[in-house]
Amino acid sequence: MDNRKAVFAGADGHSLAGRLELPAGPVVATAVFAHCFTCGKDSVAASRISRELAARGVAVLRFDFTGLGQSDGDFANTTFTSNVDDLVCAANHLRDTAGAPSVLIGHSLGGAAVLAAAHRIPEVRAVVTIGAPADTAHVEHLIGPSTADIETNGVAEVLLAGRSFRISNDFLADIKQQNQTACIAGLNRALLVMHSPQDNLVGIDNARLVFDAARHPKSFVSLDGADHLLTNRADATYVAEVLAAWASRYLVR
């Protein structure tokens, strides 16, 4: 397999960093992977799932959203809406290089982003969410007591997974005004919802809400025993295997 560096402009003009995982043989399809909130393209889930899919003939572009990882920009100036815009830019870059994506894959808040972005990428035929929240406002509980500081001062440092991030009031306002239910109901693409019953960060009830809001064709796969970040290599491999099998009829370049 071939792992290539990808650099392209994001929605606000900042340079975004990505990795394009290419199969050793023929490319049967292309996909974009959107990472979890405050994670990055090199997270365990993003890197392992992308590589496993590449081994099955799917070229996958994984990238850092603005202000994260190796991408330029200030995370404090980003919102969920700007993340969706970055995702569309990633799809445009993939279209111009390896071929337009026929599938979008999103982990956690990245799952919410692919649901919101799908209608803006006409070639997409299938969408996959992994541990995704049904409502973007779900992220607010991660911010916890810092919410008051953000609302008072406009921006505040928030400790997430042991790392400090500057979160703005614009971000909070933006996640509260998203209508994810409408996005899901109007998806008009095949949907695969993958979620662990043991997910203690985004509860399994979110999977039910996403699944119920969607129209057919739709499927649900339980990631029994997995944690939210899919830190166990076997869980990431399982996700890739099931994802590739389910989406095989949609993965057409």
Side-chain angles (χ1 to χ4, degrees):
M1 293 183 292
D2 185 9
N3 181 314
R4 297 182 184 178
K5 182 179 180 180
V7 179
F8 56 95
D12 59 3
H14 287 298
S15 179
L16 302 187
R19 284 286 175 183
L20 179 60
E21 302 282 354
L22 290 168
V27 176
V28 300
T30 58
V32 175
F33 191 106
H35 63 71
C36 55
F37 181 54
T38 70
C39 294
K41 68 180 185 306
D42 298 318
S43 68
V44 171
S47 58
R48 289 180 178 172
I49 292 172
S50 296
R51 289 168 188 158
E52 292 290 345
L53 286 172
R56 291 160 177 79
V58 182
V60 184
L61 173 63
R62 50 188 171 95
F63 70 100
D64 294 323
F65 285 109
T66 297
L68 294 173
Q70 296 173 310
S71 289
D72 292 340
D74 186 348
F75 182 74
N77 294 330
T78 67
T79 62
F80 177 77
T81 296
S82 71
N83 284 347
V84 173
D85 291 340
D86 281 349
L87 181 54
V88 173
C89 289
N92 292 340
H93 174 75
L94 193 57
R95 182 185 296 109
D96 294 337
T97 52
S102 52
V103 62
L104 298 180
I105 308 161
H107 182 204
S108 194
L109 191 63
V114 296
L115 289 168
H119 74 282
R120 296 173 56 187
I121 308 166
E123 299 90 348
V124 169
R125 302 181 63 191
V127 176
V128 181
T129 65
I130 306 166
D135 183 356
T136 53
H138 180 275
V139 176
E140 192 171 0
H141 88 278
L142 298 176
I143 299 170
S146 298
T147 301
D149 289 340
I150 295 170
E151 292 175 341
T152 299
N153 302 312
V155 65
E157 295 284 343
V158 180
L159 193 65
L160 298 170
R163 297 166 59 201
S164 182
F165 296 89
R166 294 175 69 239
I167 307 291
S168 72
N169 197 41
D170 287 343
F171 179 87
L172 292 182
D174 188 66
I175 59 173
K176 291 176 183 178
Q177 68 180 16
Q178 303 298 320
N179 190 342
Q180 281 298 100
T181 300
C183 287
I184 299 166
L187 188 62
N188 198 30
R189 274 93 171 163
L191 174 66
L192 173 60
V193 178
M194 309 182 86
H195 213 113
S196 169
Q198 291 81 27
D199 192 326
N200 58 12
L201 196 62
V202 180
I204 189 66
D205 282 349
N206 285 273
R208 177 183 58 80
L209 293 171
V210 171
F211 188 84
D212 288 349
R215 298 189 173 103
H216 285 288
K218 59 181 178 179
S219 304
F220 171 75
V221 172
S222 176
L223 304 178
D224 194 25
D227 60 29
H228 179 72
L229 295 177
L230 302 179
T231 53
N232 187 317
R233 181 181 295 273
D235 293 327
T237 300
Y238 176 74
V239 166
E241 290 175 343
V242 173
L243 194 164
W246 173 84
S248 59
R249 66 184 57 202
Y250 307 108
L251 299 182
V252 179
R253 286 190 61 186

